[in-house]
């Protein structure tokens, strides 16, 4: 079946630190990959996506590269801010699965001033 | 970006009452909407797929009679939690899949969520 595995949190960083949140997946077929962000008390917002191998998604200083050979889609940011504190969800979707996303468990990021 | 609204954002009700949550796509058409439930510090659990003009498809373990879904138009789906009990307290999130409008076909957009507390 399809699944997404994320590193467990919380990830606690100081402002301006480098961020990596690991995400690996298993899928039957060729999925599209996503990172969503959920701020406290809110719904999910799409942060970035990549639809094929070697694509790099980027938004708001965050980046993730679709690595087919390692089945990974790690999220990175060079310099985090306090406002980046949120829960980050990695997800995949397949056309054969009617594009319904399969989510990872989420990784909480806490950034201290 | 696309806007999906949910109403109410927060509701507190007594045990045994029913609660209706609305999910609307404001600037695009959505023949398919999804309802998720999220427990504290956990991922989203897909409850059901709501199809415009037809019956919803429920995931295994989700009670159809407990969580009534109606998708009456291309922009509106409702989730009614019937005879709510404290264990139904949760954060409910909907998403809508683009079927028409200015956004890429099949892209999904999420609502802001509804916090249900059953006393």
């Amino acid at each position: 079946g399809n699944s997404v595995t994320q590193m467990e949190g919380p990830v606690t960083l100081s402002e301006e630190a480098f961020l990596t949140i690991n995400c690996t997946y298993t899928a039957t077929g060729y999925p599209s990959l996503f990172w969503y962000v959920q701020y406290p008390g809110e719904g999910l917002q799409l942060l970035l996506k990549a639809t094929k191998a070697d694509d790099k998604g980027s938004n708001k200083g965050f980046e993730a590269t679709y690595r087919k050979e390692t089945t990974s889609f790690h999220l990175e940011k060079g310099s985090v801010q306090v406002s980046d504190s949120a829960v980050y969800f990695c997800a995949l979707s397949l056309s054969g699965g009617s594009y319904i996303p399969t989510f990872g468990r989420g990784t909480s990021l806490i950034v201290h001033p | 970006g696309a806007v999906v609204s949910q109403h109410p954002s927060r509701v507190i009700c007594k045990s045994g009452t029913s609660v209706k949550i609305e999910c609307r796509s404001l600037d695009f058409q959505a023949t398919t909407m999804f309802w998720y439930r999220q427990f504290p510090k956990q991922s989203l659990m897909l409850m059901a797929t709501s199809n415009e003009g037809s019956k919803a498809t429920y995931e295994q373990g989700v009670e159809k009679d407990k969580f009534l879904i109606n998708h009456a138009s291309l922009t509106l789906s409702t989730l009614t939690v019937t005879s709510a009990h404290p264990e139904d307290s949760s954060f409910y999130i909907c998403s809508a899949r683009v079927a028409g409008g200015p956004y890429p076909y099949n892209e999904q957009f999420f609502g802001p969520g509804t916090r249900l507390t059953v006393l």
Side-chain angles (χ1 to χ4, degrees):
Chain A
N2 303 318
S3 67
V4 176
T5 303
Q6 288 180 240
M7 60 187 290
E8 287 204 24
V11 173
T12 304
L13 295 172
S14 297
E15 206 165 24
E16 299 183 2
F18 184 85
L19 168 71
T20 300
I21 300 178
N22 290 337
C23 171
T24 57
Y25 68 90
T26 58
T28 53
Y30 300 97
S32 294
L33 301 174
F34 307 84
W35 276 101
Y36 287 89
V37 58
Q38 184 179 33
Y39 297 102
E42 299 183 13
L44 270 67
Q45 300 175 28
L46 178 63
L47 181 59
L48 54 86
K49 68 178 182 181
T51 58
K52 62 182 188 296
D54 299 325
D55 270 3
K56 178 185 283 188
S58 61
N59 185 25
K60 299 180 181 179
F62 291 90
E63 293 183 341
T65 301
Y66 190 143
R67 300 286 187 200
K68 184 181 174 185
E69 63 277 13
T70 54
T71 61
S72 65
F73 193 56
H74 305 321
L75 181 68
E76 296 181 336
K77 186 174 184 181
S79 177
V80 293
Q81 305 300 312
V82 172
S83 57
D84 293 326
S85 298
V87 180
Y88 293 81
F89 291 92
C90 186
L92 67 83
S93 74
L94 287 158
S95 59
S98 300
Y99 297 101
I100 300 175
T102 298
F103 289 94
R105 290 175 58 92
T107 301
S108 175
L109 170 65
I110 302 169
V111 181
H112 293 294
Chain B
V3 179
V4 175
S5 70
Q6 279 186 244
H7 178 79
S9 58
R10 191 178 293 266
V11 57
I12 301 172
C13 69
K14 293 181 179 179
S15 186
T17 60
S18 294
V19 174
K20 180 185 283 188
I21 303 170
E22 292 186 349
C23 177
R24 292 181 186 272
S25 56
L26 297 186
D27 56 351
F28 65 96
Q29 296 177 335
T31 52
T32 305
M33 292 184 175
F34 304 94
W35 287 97
Y36 296 85
R37 184 172 179 177
Q38 185 180 32
F39 294 98
K41 298 185 178 181
Q42 294 193 26
S43 190
L44 280 70
M45 180 191 79
L46 180 65
M47 299 174 63
T49 302
S50 170
N51 303 298
E52 187 267 336
S54 65
K55 292 182 180 180
T57 304
Y58 290 83
E59 296 300 301
Q60 192 171 11
V62 177
E63 299 176 61
K64 301 178 183 181
D65 296 331
K66 175 75 171 175
F67 299 99
L68 298 179
I69 291 172
N70 183 273
H71 195 149
S73 77
L74 288 172
T75 59
L76 173 64
S77 175
T78 60
L79 168 69
T80 301
V81 183
T82 62
S83 187
H85 290 284
E87 58 266 29
D88 299 323
S89 298
S90 194
F91 194 53
Y92 293 87
I93 301 175
C94 75
S95 71
R97 190 160 75 194
V98 176
Y103 304 105
Y105 184 74
N106 271 336
E107 186 145 340
Q108 281 197 42
F109 297 95
F110 286 81
T114 297
R115 172 75 60 193
L116 170 63
T117 303
V118 185
L119 302 176

